[in-house]
Amino acid sequence: MRLIKNYLYNAGNQILLLLVPLITVPYVSRVLGPHNSGINAYTNSWVTFFYLIGQMGVMMYGNREIAYTRDNIENRSRTFFEIALLQVIMSSISLLTYIIIILLVSSPFKLYFLYQSLWIIAYGLDISWYFMGIEDFKKTVVRNSVVKIISVALIFIIVRGRHDLSKYILLLGFAQLAGSLTLWPYLKESVSKIGLSNLHPFSHFKGSLLLFIPTITTQIYMVINRIMLGQMSTQSLLGQFDYADKIIKLVLAIVTAASTVMLPYMANKFASGDVQGIKKSLYNSFDFVTAFSMPLMFGIMAIAGSFAPWFLGRHYVHTGYLMFLEAPMILFIAWSSVTGNQYLMPVKRAHEYTLSVTIGAVVNVLANYVLIRLLNVNGAAIASVISELAIAGIQLWMIRKSIVVNKLGQVQNVGVN
């Protein structure tokens, strides 16, 4: 019952994340225009690397480690404080490095880059991984809901024209920071005090680093197309691509909500030695995401051409074609979210997960380099699909000896324990 409740909470959060852009994107896309939207996408793509370096894979690593120790409050508390301290230390180093680089490098977008630094601070203080690890999704969902609703209202109040790009970037950054800070008061009832001398944060460095590698490589193939488009194409086309990619990922978030819930669930089963329970849950999850993602994929392909200019404005006609090209990613990412996040990660086969996304990143960079030159922005969309197909295929090949791959996608007569 708790698993179902957590999925509903997380699915509700993903629906909220879907509804917020449905409200704000048509307004922002028209008010800022493709050029300013492209600047925001370009500068945010760069800061993404730095806040991920600051987090050092803590989002996945912390989630898993808390799930392993959640039944012992002393071990859980020590694990939390050690990982959180490591996160703060690494984020501080990352923030300082980012600011130094921005100040030294000449760029017409320097001020926007500095505003984006709020994201590094926000993610450095984000402890949502702890509450995911103890399978308490209610707190993170309530927090996200309140912050999102307030930020939506402020967007309509503050962002009124093309000259308000700075206000828009600062608003998003402060909203993310506020969301991170609101979780800290809940710790009082969940963890016990641990003396600073008893903490060894760098004992988690190697484990988090192993999960940082797939995290950063995943982000590479998620943002490298934006960076390469910013260098090889125009900011206007980058803005078109960014909105197409965001809409696809928002639809996809509803499908992959199960993976966020299932990771700590599977990790706890692995810690208790329930191998058969892991396999049954894996088969059921694969059935669910396949049945859910295929109609979404074909539905997006059917309406993309008319939806984009209606939703975003008449300047975004090409965004619809990009959505059509990217739609197959919904199915491929849904599959890899099960094989990777729900199986390889919880059962401590992170090295295989790392290898799969690293290959995907390499494929994405090479495909972008070739296809953007040949097809411009359309090439970036096709490259994204190719890389996601590669990752899903590699992960399925990796788990072929651990489970019966032919059972994936078939209806299973088993329940999720």
Side-chain angles (χ1 to χ4, degrees):
M1 179 59 69
R2 182 173 66 174
L3 184 64
I4 296 174
K5 186 183 295 185
N6 284 335
Y7 172 74
L8 292 175
Y9 273 126
N10 202 41
N13 182 52
Q14 298 303 330
I15 291 172
L16 176 65
L17 293 177
L18 177 62
L19 290 176
V20 167
L22 288 177
I23 298 170
T24 60
V25 166
Y27 176 76
V28 172
S29 63
R30 289 169 170 83
V31 170
L32 294 182
H35 180 74
N36 284 338
S37 296
I39 293 174
N40 176 54
Y42 182 65
T43 55
N44 188 259
S45 296
W46 279 107
V47 80
T48 299
F49 290 111
F50 286 87
Y51 70 64
L52 287 174
I53 291 171
Q55 274 206 325
M56 279 293 295
V58 161
M59 191 58 68
M60 281 190 175
Y61 177 78
N63 185 342
R64 190 186 70 181
E65 294 302 304
I66 293 298
Y68 288 154
T69 60
R70 75 179 184 207
D71 297 326
N72 185 311
I73 188 169
E74 183 177 352
N75 290 340
R76 187 179 75 221
S77 300
R78 181 180 294 106
T79 300
F80 165 73
F81 283 114
E82 288 178 341
I83 295 175
L85 184 56
L86 175 65
Q87 181 180 351
V88 170
I89 292 171
M90 296 307 299
S91 293
S92 299
I93 295 172
S94 181
L95 176 63
L96 180 61
T97 304
Y98 177 80
I99 291 176
I100 291 173
I101 292 174
I102 295 306
L103 293 176
L104 292 178
V105 175
S106 177
S107 170
F109 309 136
K110 181 172 291 189
L111 190 61
Y112 302 124
F113 276 117
L114 288 174
Y115 292 157
Q116 297 280 11
S117 65
L118 284 168
W119 288 83
I120 303 176
I121 302 172
Y123 275 93
L125 297 173
D126 184 8
I127 54 170
S128 58
W129 49 267
Y130 171 78
F131 295 97
M132 293 177 185
I134 62 174
E135 297 190 60
D136 185 357
F137 285 83
K138 181 179 179 180
K139 290 183 175 63
T140 57
V141 169
V142 171
R143 178 222 39 187
N144 283 337
S145 300
V146 173
V147 171
K148 288 295 182 184
I149 291 171
I150 294 174
S151 63
V152 166
L154 290 176
I155 285 174
F156 286 106
I157 294 171
I158 296 174
V159 182
R160 306 302 295 271
R162 280 171 167 73
H163 56 281
D164 287 334
L165 176 59
S166 295
K167 294 178 182 179
Y168 180 67
I169 293 174
L170 287 171
L171 175 57
L172 294 182
F174 276 117
Q176 189 71 25
L177 178 58
S180 296
L181 293 174
T182 54
L183 281 177
W184 284 85
Y186 292 111
L187 290 174
K188 186 178 180 180
E189 59 191 49
S190 184
V191 298
S192 58
K193 293 182 179 179
I194 304 292
L196 187 61
S197 60
N198 295 323
L199 298 179
H200 306 283
F202 286 97
S203 65
H204 298 277
F205 184 83
K206 182 179 179 181
S208 62
L209 179 62
L210 290 175
L211 295 189
F212 166 71
I213 296 173
T215 300
I216 194 67
T217 50
T218 298
Q219 286 299 319
I220 286 175
Y221 68 74
M222 287 179 64
V223 303
I224 195 66
N225 38 28
R226 289 169 173 78
I227 293 174
M228 294 180 74
L229 275 173
Q231 296 291 332
M232 301 167 65
S233 186
T234 66
Q235 298 302 316
S236 180
L237 284 176
L238 173 55
Q240 299 264 0
F241 175 85
D242 185 57
Y243 279 123
D245 196 60
K246 282 179 178 177
I247 292 172
I248 294 295
K249 296 293 173 60
L250 285 169
V251 174
L252 180 67
I254 301 175
V255 182
T256 57
S259 292
T260 306
V261 174
M262 291 297 292
L263 194 155
Y265 175 80
M266 295 286 233
N268 191 257
K269 277 188 172 291
F270 178 74
S272 61
D274 187 4
V275 177
Q276 290 304 314
I278 291 175
K279 290 183 179 181
K280 289 179 180 179
S281 297
L282 180 69
Y283 293 138
N284 285 336
S285 291
F286 203 92
D287 294 341
F288 173 75
V289 301
T290 301
F292 204 31
S293 60
M294 290 192 72
L296 287 174
M297 176 183 71
F298 288 116
I300 288 292
M301 294 175 76
I303 68 170
S306 57
F307 174 79
W310 169 80
F311 182 57
L312 299 170
R314 59 186 178 85
H315 299 294
Y316 294 88
V317 173
H318 196 74
T319 300
Y321 185 62
L322 295 173
M323 288 171 58
F324 178 88
L325 292 176
E326 284 200 322
M329 286 200 307
I330 296 174
L331 179 63
F332 302 145
I333 295 179
W335 285 349
S336 62
S337 74
V338 176
T339 55
N341 294 343
Q342 296 184 39
Y343 187 74
L344 292 177
M345 292 291 294
V347 302
K348 293 190 175 183
R349 292 172 62 177
H351 60 288
E352 293 176 81
Y353 178 83
T354 300
L355 179 61
S356 67
V357 295
T358 301
I359 294 173
V362 172
V363 169
N364 186 260
V365 172
L366 294 176
N368 268 296
Y369 183 78
V370 174
L371 294 177
I372 290 176
R373 290 178 179 275
L374 293 175
L375 303 173
N376 206 324
V377 68
N378 296 339
I382 296 172
S384 297
V385 175
I386 292 173
S387 63
E388 295 297 347
L389 173 60
I391 292 170
I394 291 168
Q395 289 183 359
L396 285 169
W397 183 81
M398 286 176 169
I399 67 173
R400 70 193 188 283
K401 294 182 180 179
S402 302
I403 64 170
V404 182
V405 176
N406 290 339
K407 286 187 178 182
L408 296 176
Q410 298 178 8
V411 177
Q412 304 297 316
N413 297 317
V414 294
V416 179
N417 298 324

